[in-house]
Amino acid sequence: MSDLPLRRLTLLGATGSIGASTLDVVARHPDRFEVTALAAHKNSAALRELCRRYRPRYAALLDETAAQALRENLREDGISSEVLSGAGGVQAVAALPEVDTVLAAITGAAGLLPTLAAARAGKRVLLANKEALVMGGALFMEEVRVGGATVLPIDSEHNAIFQCLPGVAQQCGTRAPGIRKIILTASGGPFREMPLAALRDVTPEQACAHPVWKMGRKISVDSATMMNKGLEVIEAHWLFGMPAEAIEVAIHPQSIIHSFVEYLDGSTLAQLGSPDMRTPIAQALAFPERIDAGVAALDFAVARTLTFTAPERGRFPCLALAYQALNAGGSAALILNAANEVAVEAFLNRRIGFPDIAAVCDAVLSEAPTTAAPTTVREAIGFDAAARRVADRHIAICSSRRGA
């Protein structure tokens, strides 16, 4: 039995890929972690199965109808988990007094409010939700400061940077001394060598077939466009206090090195590991300790060749748009994120083509008014909704051209 304190966990996004990886790690250490609450968007059936296995005290679903179905199903199963519903219910489980650790993995804008609630309540926030920083970076970091929360990044790239920082600087939100720049690695997705003209005919199935990582559909498309990496650049700015010009991206198809930190003295530190999300999750769950994640160590006799190239601007326009938004400041990153969410959904529903994702994002970023950064959640949600309306209009234009 471990003499370290038991961590009580709320898992936001329990039915997604990050949720599955987290629960796999947790299940390996029943003496270290207790699942107090599980939350998701609307997958009632999947959350029911998780409640059967982990018997959390609370379960929450954003979708009210799905929550009611879960209540009835758990009653049939004889499981006493209290089911909460709606945005208020998910925020409530993010701020439970008995919980010390909240893993925030609800994707999209829906994850913003519960992640802010966890920060406000002073939790250890294991951050996998990009939108908390992309939609409201200053707002989120202020909640962290006021609430006394601790932020531990889960994205493999940001977690790698975190591990390469000097120990005294491992608190997110400020720039560590002596750092010249950080370099985020990217696999390049499934289309890094495809002829540019062929991208017009890419299908959702092809875009979701990531060559290395196992991820959800939306994030797989973001990886294919490299919008995912662009959003990570914006995240890195807030997490590590680095300006845009000190954050670089390198394509590394092997996905062995997850990021670099370059220091003023010429040293460059890198974090290496198998492409498995259980590693950064385990690192953050146990920090500052280390625990078994169920991940095999690298075999350097096999992984002998590591290659790096700069991303082609013409192939990955979404990456350039993210840098543009970061440099513009204000609400530009929020607007870009909203446009991308709507455009990716339209692509997955076959309404627009793959190159149209970047075209829609560019049009919305150019047209939607870039106001000052939101200072309240209400403002952030309002800016997000306005950008989505503009995106819907441009998607309709692209869709009509595609059908002509």
Side-chain angles (χ1 to χ4, degrees):
M1 189 76 172
S2 171
D3 58 358
L4 294 170
L6 179 73
R7 295 203 182 280
R8 292 181 170 85
L9 175 69
T10 286
L11 177 50
L12 306 174
T15 59
S17 60
I18 296 294
S21 294
T22 301
L23 291 170
D24 181 88
V25 174
V26 166
R28 296 171 187 274
H29 303 277
D31 60 325
R32 295 291 308 275
F33 306 106
E34 177 184 289
V35 178
T36 303
L38 296 172
H41 187 198
K42 61 180 180 181
N43 194 336
S44 175
L47 196 57
R48 177 186 186 181
E49 291 303 315
L50 293 178
C51 288
R52 284 173 169 171
R53 179 173 181 183
Y54 294 98
R55 303 298 172 111
R57 184 174 177 183
Y58 301 95
L61 285 164
L62 281 167
D63 186 275
E64 302 275 359
T65 302
Q68 183 57 35
L70 181 62
R71 287 189 191 96
E72 295 170 1
N73 289 332
L74 293 185
R75 193 177 301 118
E76 293 173 5
D77 296 336
I79 296 173
S80 60
S81 301
E82 180 180 348
V83 178
L84 306 179
S85 61
V90 176
Q91 289 175 65
V93 299
L96 289 168
E98 61 266 44
V99 163
D100 55 81
T101 302
V102 177
L103 194 143
I106 294 179
T107 59
L112 175 62
L113 287 172
T115 306
L116 286 171
R120 192 178 303 120
K123 306 301 183 185
R124 281 170 57 103
V125 182
L126 279 54
L127 190 64
N129 170 276
K130 293 179 177 10
E131 287 70 26
L133 291 171
V134 175
M135 288 183 66
L139 184 62
F140 176 73
M141 297 311 297
E142 178 64 11
E143 293 285 13
V144 168
R145 186 189 69 79
V146 173
T150 299
V151 180
L152 298 166
I154 293 296
D155 269 353
S156 61
E157 296 82 3
H158 302 103
N159 184 266
I161 293 165
F162 182 81
Q163 292 192 54
C164 292
L165 295 178
V168 294
Q170 285 184 319
Q171 171 61 43
C172 291
T174 58
R175 182 170 181 170
I179 292 178
R180 178 181 289 123
K181 65 182 177 182
I182 57 180
I183 304 166
L184 305 172
T185 58
S187 70
F191 309 134
R192 68 177 183 272
E193 296 178 346
M194 179 179 284
L196 292 179
L199 293 177
R200 293 193 302 266
D201 301 318
V202 160
T203 67
E205 290 75 20
Q206 289 174 302
C208 292
H210 196 280
V212 179
W213 295 94
K214 294 180 180 179
M215 305 182 295
R217 283 164 61 80
K218 194 269 182 181
I219 195 172
S220 294
V221 175
D222 283 347
S223 178
T225 64
M226 281 193 74
M227 179 63 85
N228 190 47
K229 203 57 49 179
L231 298 179
E232 288 173 7
V233 168
I234 297 170
E235 282 186 276
H237 162 73
W238 290 108
L239 286 171
F240 307 115
M242 303 293 287
E245 61 271 18
I247 307 171
E248 296 183 2
V249 173
I251 292 182
H252 171 49
Q254 296 82 17
S255 295
I256 298 297
I257 293 180
H258 299 296
S259 279
F260 301 89
V261 176
E262 183 180 300
Y263 286 84
L264 294 173
D265 61 7
S267 299
T268 299
L269 301 186
Q271 187 266 339
L272 289 73
S274 299
D276 191 317
M277 284 304 300
R278 290 177 297 175
T279 295
I281 289 168
Q283 190 277 335
L285 277 171
F287 181 79
E289 308 296 330
R290 297 277 182 170
I291 58 174
D292 174 33
V295 180
L298 285 174
D299 183 348
F300 286 98
V302 175
R304 289 182 295 179
T305 302
L306 304 178
T307 60
F308 306 91
T309 57
E312 299 175 51
R313 186 181 182 90
R315 183 178 296 276
F316 301 114
C318 285
L319 180 59
L321 289 173
Y323 273 102
Q324 178 185 326
L326 179 56
N327 284 316
S331 60
L334 184 159
I335 289 167
L336 178 63
N337 178 74
N340 180 65
E341 284 194 19
V342 176
V344 170
E345 182 179 6
F347 168 68
L348 289 171
N349 291 331
R350 305 180 193 276
R351 294 180 58 205
I352 63 174
F354 183 76
D356 292 330
I357 297 173
V360 168
C361 290
D362 191 6
V364 175
L365 196 58
S366 299
E367 180 179 336
T370 304
T371 59
T375 57
T376 66
V377 173
R378 182 183 294 274
E379 281 187 348
I381 293 173
F383 294 164
D384 178 83
R388 288 169 188 269
R389 289 192 293 270
V390 178
D392 282 333
R393 178 158 49 79
H394 285 283
I395 286 168
I397 295 170
C398 289
S399 182
S400 63
R401 289 174 180 167
R402 186 175 175 82

